[in-house]
């Protein structure tokens, strides 16, 4: 069965600290996609990254970086030099690849609330 | 590109009334739209999947007679909460998929429903 686990319910750090949000997933498919979304207090989901199962390269985008490790079924997200504006709830999600008729439904983690204190 | 809008962004209604929420894909045609609800401090819960021109597929535990979904065109899906009750108060989010074989979902900004 497919599942996404974000064990950290809430993380609080002081501004400029680095912080890593963990995501562990379960799937039997060999083709799948992993996502991270940010949900600020306004509620609107902000897409951060998508990674397919065949691409294990880590990615860096500014202060954000992602570490995808199939061996441990993890897709962790690190914010370097955190800022107050990074405060939000972050969701990790999994979509299993399928045939033409697949709906590619997203399986969501519970989310991690990140609080950056000034 | 790939913008999804929702209307209204916030709605307050009285118990027993019905509320319609619109989800529109503004610059693309969406063959599939998804409806989610999110309770405070919780994750998104998929309510239903709708494909244009066909009946929606509801997730287990979601009452299809209470949450009516219509996906009459490739750019519009509506969710009607019938005979709303306070426990229906939630944040409703829609998303749209561009093509049958696409894994990309584009999310609307959400609608906050409060039933008094």
């Amino acid at each position: 069965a497919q599942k996404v686990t974000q064990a950290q319910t809430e993380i609080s750090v002081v501004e400029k600290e680095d912080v890593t949000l963990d995501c562990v997933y379960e799937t039997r498919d060999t083709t799948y996609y992993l996502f991270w979304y940010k949900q600020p207090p306004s509620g609107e989901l902000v897409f951060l990254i998508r990674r397919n199962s065949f691409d294990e390269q880590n990615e860096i985008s500014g202060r954000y970086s992602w570490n995808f490790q199939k061996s441990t079924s993890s897709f962790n997200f690190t914010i370097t030099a955190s800022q107050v504006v990074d405060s939000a709830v972050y969701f990790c999600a999994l979509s299993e690849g399928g045939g033409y008729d697949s709906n590619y439904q997203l399986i969501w983690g519970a989310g991690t609330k990140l609080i950056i204190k000034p | 590109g790939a913008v999804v809008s929702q209307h209204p962004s916030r709605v307050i209604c009285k118990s027993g009334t019905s509320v319609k929420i619109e989800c529109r894909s503004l610059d693309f045609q969406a063959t599939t739209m998804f409806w989610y609800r999110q309770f405070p401090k919780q994750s998104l819960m998929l309510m239903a999947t709708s494909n244009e021109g066909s009946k929606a597929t509801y997730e287990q535990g979601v009452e299809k007679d209470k949450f009516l979904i219509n996906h009459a065109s490739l750019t519009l899906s509506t969710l009607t909460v019938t005979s709303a009750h306070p426990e229906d108060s939630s944040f409703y989010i829609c998303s749209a998929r561009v093509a049958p074989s696409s894994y990309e979902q584009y999310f609307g900004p959400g609608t906050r429903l409060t039933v008094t």
Side-chain angles (χ1 to χ4, degrees), chain B residues 51-69:
Chain B
N51 292 298
E52 185 264 340
S54 61
K55 290 184 179 180
T57 302
Y58 290 82
E59 295 300 302
Q60 193 172 8
V62 177
E63 300 174 58
K64 61 180 180 181
D65 294 331
K66 181 170 185 62
F67 298 99
L68 301 179
I69 292 172

Side-chain angles (χ1 to χ4, degrees), chain B:
Chain B
V3 178
V4 176
S5 70
Q6 274 184 249
H7 178 79
S9 57
R10 289 178 180 271
V11 58
I12 300 173
C13 71
K14 292 187 177 180
S15 188
T17 61
S18 295
V19 174
K20 180 185 283 188
I21 302 170
E22 292 186 350
C23 177
R24 292 182 184 272
S25 54
L26 298 185
D27 50 2
F28 66 98
Q29 293 186 328
T31 57
T32 303
M33 287 186 171
F34 302 89
W35 286 96
Y36 298 86
R37 68 188 297 182
Q38 185 181 29
F39 291 110
K41 298 185 180 181
Q42 292 189 23
S43 188
L44 282 74
M45 184 195 82
L46 180 65
M47 299 176 67
T49 302
S50 73
N51 292 298
E52 185 264 340
S54 61
K55 290 184 179 180
T57 302
Y58 290 82
E59 295 300 302
Q60 193 172 8
V62 177
E63 300 174 58
K64 61 180 180 181
D65 294 331
K66 181 170 185 62
F67 298 99
L68 301 179
I69 292 172
N70 185 294
H71 191 167
S73 79
L74 285 171
T75 59
L76 174 64
S77 176
T78 59
L79 167 67
T80 301
V81 182
T82 62
S83 187
H85 291 285
E87 57 265 30
D88 298 323
S89 298
S90 188
F91 192 54
Y92 292 87
I93 305 171
C94 74
S95 70
R97 202 176 66 176
V98 174
S101 60
S102 171
Y103 51 78
E104 291 280 9
Q105 288 187 33
Y106 299 96
F107 287 85
T111 296
R112 196 165 300 280
L113 170 64
T114 303
V115 184
T116 61

Side-chain angles (χ1 to χ4, degrees), chain A residues 22-75:
Chain A
D22 298 333
C23 173
V24 175
Y25 63 92
E26 293 177 31
T27 178
R28 291 181 180 176
D29 275 17
T30 55
T31 301
Y32 53 89
Y33 304 89
L34 295 164
F35 303 80
W36 275 95
Y37 289 89
K38 174 183 180 179
Q39 188 177 42
S42 66
E44 184 164 0
L45 287 166
V46 177
F47 168 80
L48 295 178
I49 191 171
R50 174 191 69 249
R51 184 53 97 221
N52 74 55
S53 53
F54 299 108
D55 183 2
E56 275 195 86
Q57 282 191 339
N58 292 330
E59 179 146 344
I60 298 175
S61 176
R63 296 183 296 108
Y64 296 170
S65 63
W66 291 268
N67 185 327
F68 177 28
Q69 290 196 341
K70 290 177 74 171
S71 60
T72 55
S73 297
S74 64
F75 187 41

Side-chain angles (χ1 to χ4, degrees), chain A residues 79-91:
Chain A
I79 301 175
T80 304
S82 60
Q83 299 177 2
V84 173
V85 292
D86 296 327
S87 297
V89 178
Y90 290 85
F91 291 100

